[in-house]
Amino acid sequence: MEFQPAIVASTSFVFLAIGLLGITYSVMSSSWDEDREGSGLGFDEFSKNVDSLKEGLSRTKENALLREKMVGLSEAEIQRAIDESDRRKDELKAKKQKEWTD
């Protein structure tokens, strides 16, 4: 019995894609909070983890912009920017903790 190479390649690709999607969903649907029990299929955890990733990417972008602004600033200006960044982190942390407890 002989198979066409295109069919074999397509089938292999489909199974690879299904496997990658399954692994990704299993990571994203697990509870990242050690003190919190996850649900059976992890739908709630998936949405919360996606939101956490979006917040992390947003913070990364903010940090890059802050670094660009820091070039050529005085020490006092840099310290003010760091304090502002810390304040925003604390606000996000409080918001996140409130969401997890609700």
Side-chain angles (χ1 to χ4, degrees), residues 6-20:
I7 293 174
V8 173
S10 299
T11 304
S12 297
F13 178 76
V14 166
F15 284 116
L16 175 67
I18 290 171
L20 289 174

Side-chain angles (χ1 to χ4, degrees), residues 37-53:
E37 183 72 24
S39 63
L41 294 176
F43 294 125
D44 294 335
E45 289 81 7
F46 182 84
S47 64
K48 287 182 181 181
N49 292 341
V50 167
D51 290 340
S52 293
L53 281 176

Side-chain angles (χ1 to χ4, degrees), residues 7-83:
I7 293 174
V8 173
S10 299
T11 304
S12 297
F13 178 76
V14 166
F15 284 116
L16 175 67
I18 290 171
L20 289 174
L21 288 173
I23 290 170
T24 302
Y25 183 76
S26 68
V27 169
M28 295 300 295
S29 66
S30 63
S31 179
W32 291 355
D33 186 7
E34 295 176 3
D35 299 331
R36 189 163 185 264
E37 183 72 24
S39 63
L41 294 176
F43 294 125
D44 294 335
E45 289 81 7
F46 182 84
S47 64
K48 287 182 181 181
N49 292 341
V50 167
D51 290 340
S52 293
L53 281 176
K54 287 179 183 178
E55 287 177 13
L57 291 173
S58 173
R59 284 191 306 263
T60 301
K61 184 178 179 181
E62 286 177 9
N63 289 341
L65 292 173
L66 183 60
R67 283 188 195 100
E68 288 178 14
K69 290 179 183 178
M70 285 174 54
V71 175
L73 294 178
S74 69
E75 287 294 321
E77 291 172 320
I78 290 173
Q79 189 58 47
R80 267 189 306 227
I82 291 171
D83 293 342

